[in-house]
């Protein structure tokens, strides 16, 4: 069977669950059905109805109480437990119709993507199950308050995305909080942003720092910065554009009849 979807990742509080909810509602306007899978065992509230919920298998609170672990150690245990019980997950997935579009809402602990291999193992398992996936890394729009902070966020996003070995996108989330939309556009056009960066050439140190920044921006651009998108939940076009870009990356719709496409 073949499934299409997105692995939604990013730091805690970046808006992953909201992203899944908004895209699910946006797809309904196009008469598309999107299923959402929750893989965050620490989730207390979900703004959507989860088709599959890891908390039915294991929850962070139960693990912390039974094994006297902290939040981070407990989450690692939960994800390892999931990998050891993928037969449960596969059985749950069998209830999803073939060719359905799936959003996978992932935990927010960034170490799961940067120096641990659990999420990469999960990705490979999903691929072998028949999932055509791309990853979507959410970067809170508040990162644009400082250029250095924004650059750090981009590097973290690229690092996490490349670990999963999937086609990947970085999405500036919560853009509805920014009144001047031209600012958002500036930060999603990395080449132009690099030219307008705050680092001015006034001294030899600043010149060296600027060259370093330009080199890092070029690295980010070459490894996925060209796929930098934005999400404004108040803008329907923003939501549909995200669907369009990710659909193209995973070739969703090519196996459907013309009347079934958007």
């Amino acid at each position: 069977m073949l499934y299409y979807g997105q692995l939604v990742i990013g730091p805690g509080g970046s808006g992953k669950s909201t992203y899944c909810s908004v895209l699910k509602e946006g797809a309904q306007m196009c008469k598309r059905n999107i299923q959402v899978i929750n893989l965050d065992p620490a989730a207390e509230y979900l703004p959507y109805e989860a088709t599959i919920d890891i908390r039915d298998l294991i929850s962070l609170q139960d693990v912390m109480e039974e094994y006297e672990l902290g939040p981070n150690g407990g989450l690692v245990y939960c994800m390892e437990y999931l990998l050891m019980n993928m037969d449960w997950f596969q059985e749950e997935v069998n209830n999803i119709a073939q060719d359905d579009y799936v959003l996978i809402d992932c935990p927010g602990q960034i170490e799961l993507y940067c120096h641990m291999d659990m999420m990469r193992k999960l990705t490979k398992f999903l691929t072998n199950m028949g999932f055509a996936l791309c990853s979507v890394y959410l970067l809170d729009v508040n990162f644009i308050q400082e250029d250095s902070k924004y650059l750090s966020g981009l590097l973290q996003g690229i690092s996490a995305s490349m670990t999963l070995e999937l086609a990947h996108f970085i999405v500036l989330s919560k853009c509805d909080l920014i009144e001047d939309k031209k600012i958002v556009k500036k930060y999603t056009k990395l080449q132009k942003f690099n030219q307008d960066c705050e680092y001015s050439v006034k001294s030899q140190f600043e010149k060296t720092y600027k060259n370093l920044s330009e080199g890092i921006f070029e690295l980010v651009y070459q490894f996925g910065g060209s796929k930098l998108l934005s999400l404004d939940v108040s803008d329907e076009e923003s939501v549909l554009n995200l669907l369009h870009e990710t659909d193209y990356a995973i070739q969703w719709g090519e196996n459907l009849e013309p009347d079934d496409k958007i």
Side-chain angles (χ1 to χ4, degrees):
M1 298 182 72
L2 185 61
Y3 308 95
Y4 296 87
Q6 305 174 26
L7 206 65
V8 184
I9 64 176
S14 58
K16 297 183 295 297
S17 295
T18 300
Y19 172 92
C20 293
S21 177
V22 169
L23 255 66
K24 181 178 176 65
E25 293 175 2
Q28 290 174 347
M29 294 186 296
C30 306
K31 297 182 179 180
R32 283 176 59 177
N33 185 37
I34 286 183
Q35 309 284 351
V36 185
I37 297 174
N38 173 47
L39 288 188
D40 184 1
E44 296 181 357
Y45 165 76
L46 297 175
Y48 55 79
E49 182 179 352
T51 303
I52 301 174
D53 194 336
I54 189 177
R55 294 175 302 177
D56 294 334
L57 174 69
I58 189 170
S59 73
L60 177 61
Q61 189 63 37
D62 291 343
V63 169
M64 290 173 60
E65 292 176 359
E66 183 173 350
Y67 298 103
E68 299 183 350
L69 295 172
N72 289 336
L75 181 63
V76 171
Y77 181 94
C78 289
M79 300 313 293
E80 289 178 337
Y81 189 83
L82 172 64
L83 288 173
M84 292 187 295
N85 291 274
M86 288 305 288
D87 52 339
W88 169 86
F89 184 82
Q90 188 159 9
E91 184 176 342
E92 294 292 313
V93 169
N94 289 338
N95 296 322
I96 298 177
Q98 185 175 358
D99 297 328
D100 261 6
Y101 199 97
V102 179
L103 300 177
I104 304 176
D105 190 0
C106 296
Q109 275 71 5
I110 203 64
E111 58 266 28
L112 293 175
Y113 312 94
C114 292
H115 61 270
M116 294 182 174
D117 63 354
M118 284 174 287
M119 295 305 293
R120 183 167 63 241
K121 288 180 178 178
L122 176 63
T123 300
K124 289 183 177 179
F125 184 89
L126 293 173
T127 302
N128 291 336
M129 280 182 63
F131 277 88
L133 293 169
C134 66
S135 69
V136 174
Y137 183 94
L138 296 189
L139 182 65
D140 194 312
V141 74
N142 288 315
F143 272 75
I144 69 176
Q145 292 177 350
E146 298 178 22
D147 291 346
S148 57
K149 184 178 179 181
Y150 179 58
L151 178 57
S152 174
L154 290 175
L155 284 173
Q156 192 176 65
I158 290 294
S159 174
S161 301
M162 292 184 65
T163 299
L164 300 176
E165 300 177 353
L166 297 171
H168 56 270
F169 296 87
I170 297 179
V171 175
L172 273 180
S173 62
K174 307 180 184 178
C175 290
D176 49 295
L177 301 178
I178 305 297
E179 294 184 6
D180 187 355
K181 304 307 178 186
K182 291 182 180 179
I183 296 178
V184 175
K185 188 174 182 180
K186 168 189 172 182
Y187 280 88
T188 54
K189 303 293 183 183
L190 277 186
Q191 288 182 321
K192 186 178 187 305
F193 172 73
N194 195 15
Q195 297 170 357
D196 300 337
C197 190
E198 67 182 16
Y199 308 117
S200 58
V201 184
K202 295 180 180 179
S203 66
Q204 185 59 41
F205 175 80
E206 289 172 334
K207 182 177 181 179
T208 303
Y209 195 38
K210 178 178 174 61
N211 290 339
L212 174 62
S213 299
E214 289 177 343
I216 294 176
F217 270 116
E218 183 63 26
L219 176 68
V220 171
Y221 183 82
Q222 292 296 330
F223 284 91
S226 59
K227 300 175 183 177
L228 192 57
L229 305 173
S230 62
L231 173 63
D232 182 341
V233 297
S234 64
D235 182 4
E236 179 182 324
E237 184 178 349
S238 168
V239 176
L240 295 180
N241 180 60
L242 276 169
L243 278 171
H244 172 76
E245 292 290 342
T246 52
D247 286 349
Y248 183 78
I250 60 177
Q251 299 181 321
W252 180 87
E254 292 193 1
N255 61 320
L256 300 179
E257 295 296 329
D259 289 340
D260 294 330
K261 297 184 179 181
I262 295 179

